[in-house]
Amino acid sequence: AKAQIGVTGLAVMGRNVARNLARNGFTVAVHNRSPERTRSLVAEHGDEGTFVPGETMADFVASLERPRAVIVMVKAGAPTDAVIDELVPLLEEGDIIVDCGNAHFADTRRREEALRAQGLHFSGTGVSGGEEGALLGPSIMPGGSAESYAKLGPMFEKIAAQVDGVPCCMHVGPDGAGHFVKMVHNGIEYADMQLIAEAYDLLRSGLDAKPAEIAEIFRDWNDGELGSFLIEITADVLAHTDADTGRPFVDVVQDRAEQKGTGRWTVQSALDLGIPITGIAEATFARSLSGHVDQREAARRAFPDAGDKWQVTDREAFVEDVRRALLASKIVAYAQGFDHIRAGSQEYDWDIDLGGTATIWRGGCIIRARFLDRIREAYDQQPDLPTLLVAPYFADAVAAGVPSWRRVVGDATRAGVPTPAFSSSLAYFDALRAERLPAALIQGLRDNFGAHTYQRVDRDGSFHTTWAADRTESPA
Ligand code: 6PG
């Protein structure tokens, strides 16, 4: 029998997706540039299902039923293009190439267009969940044509994580929609992790507590509204002791956060679309800042004691303040991420279902969290919700958290503990809810130095004041 789907690129992610498909009863053609990997996959896991190994790309393609569906699991960028170029001459009209890597959605749009012109389907598919997710059930975000989803959907929905019997997979939208949503997922992942890191830092400074004690606080939080994969593994990482030194693991790790680019792409795209994803931007910049060791060293020497001594008197109340501030900041990050998806969807005509996006992030992916159910409800109840912040559940959580949020950010500021994501999320919230913003002054300045004009609160139209002359106003 011919294979129902194929996977080329058998590094750990490709290997695990192939195994997941086979374990779920699909016949999977497998191929890797160096056939060693293909052989070892079949040797080690052949008993998990039906694999059809292909030594060459041609053998691999020939083993697939039509329309062929080929998953490409190689590095984003040039390696992906190289594999596509190798595949195309071997495929026939109606066949489907699926790119499950972390590709930039603009590349996906370009590839989709080029392949469509050749009669092929191209599905840029976001896959989240790391190695384990790929094997046991990831969150899958396929983009591309409806025809391609008709073939891929049943398989992807079966191998995806399931929450309350609902698969963490849906057809996100045409061309780059899937990779766009995966990109924003990663941006939110950056924000979530930065917020968690700041919460840890606050607890550590404020309570003068050991990582293992803070792990217990996170474990506790994981049982409540903050319940999520990232909070759960935070407890694990904080509780871990370095075998070599006996010191807390977090204390032996270099404090420089790396990144592979998806957070940066998210911020770049948000700038293009004019969507203030301040939490994600702060998180991305915080990673960059952590890497500027020379500047950090110089500043540390120049300003050794810039903050007041931190004095927490009521430990329990402080922990609760940090929890509430974390929840409120996290809500801001998700609200911004969903705004970004809505804007992308409008810009590129994708018609992305926001409630559906929350649904497929409930399981499998890195940002899976209890409150995604609440996001789904919010968009189900009001699809044109102006911002998640005003949906009833989130509005209540934020309102309940505001005093804590202000205390935590204020105390941290006085103590000199950096909280870029907590503070900027609070500033975003205050800016959104402000009666008047100083943007009016900015308009005045722009008109003053560049005759850029402004609008008045009491009359329609654009106006200019002759700042350098008699300062009279006229319609522009
Ligand atoms: C996922 C993750 C994954 C990504 C990283 C690393 O959803 O499974 O987002 O795709 O590899 O999280 O990203 P950085 O190296 O940029 O932190």
Side-chain angles (χ1 to χ4, degrees), residues 13 102 127-131 141 182 185-186 189-190 193 258-263 287 364-367:
M13 288 297 284
N102 267 332
V127 178
S128 176
E131 292 173 29
M141 298 152 246
K182 174 64 186 6
H185 164 284
N186 280 28
E189 174 184 304
Y190 276 48
M193 288 164 69
E258 295 170 338
Q259 50 183 316
K260 287 199 282 288
T262 47
R287 288 198 191 185
C365 66
I366 303 298
I367 64 170

Side-chain angles (χ1 to χ4, degrees), residues 388-413:
L388 261 186
L389 286 176
V390 300
Y393 171 85
F394 296 108
D396 287 351
V398 169
V402 167
S404 298
W405 211 357
R406 296 199 191 291
R407 270 196 296 274
V408 165
V409 168
D411 288 353
T413 305

